[in-house]
Amino acid sequence: MKNVRVGLIGCGVISGIYLENAKKFNFYDIKACADLDLSRAKAMADKYDIQKAYSPEELIQDPDIDLVLNLTIPVAHAGITLQALKAGKHVYSEK
């Protein structure tokens, strides 16, 4: 079985614990992160050795992403989830 390729959207405070804990699991890989503030996405990608930093729209369109981990703020949450589902992605969220 191949690992699930995950893209994280929303590089705020809570994303750090997800990125840190991802190292403990061997069935998925976080391949990209995205944020409305691209500099924040790039900073998290650098800190956690993630291959790609994107805008949310770019991440959703990436064919190498299987699942979107949606950690966005509440006002953006539904829109990101719907975009990801329409693009054929699986979505995980806490909201």
Side-chain angles (χ1 to χ4, degrees):
M1 182 171 94
K2 70 174 188 160
N3 282 6
V4 176
R5 300 169 299 178
V6 178
L8 180 150
I9 301 179
C11 294
V13 174
I14 195 66
S15 66
I17 194 68
Y18 280 88
L19 294 165
E20 192 63 40
N21 285 336
K23 299 172 189 174
K24 298 176 184 178
F25 300 96
N26 62 0
F27 58 90
Y28 71 91
D29 298 313
I30 297 182
K31 298 289 190 181
C33 59
D35 196 275
L36 290 175
D37 178 348
L38 190 54
S39 66
R40 189 183 323 195
K42 287 179 180 179
M44 293 305 262
D46 289 344
K47 182 174 180 179
Y48 291 97
D49 197 28
I50 296 170
Q51 298 169 358
K52 302 173 186 173
Y54 287 140
S55 71
E57 293 78 16
E58 290 171 321
L59 186 145
I60 288 169
Q61 295 307 314
D62 185 338
D64 293 330
I65 299 297
D66 302 312
L67 181 142
V68 171
L69 172 55
N70 186 352
L71 302 178
T72 59
I73 59 174
V75 71
H77 205 75
I80 292 293
T81 294
L82 289 172
Q83 287 177 41
L85 291 172
K86 287 178 183 176
K89 308 295 185 193
H90 299 282
V91 178
Y92 175 85
S93 64
E94 286 194 2
K95 306 267 190 300

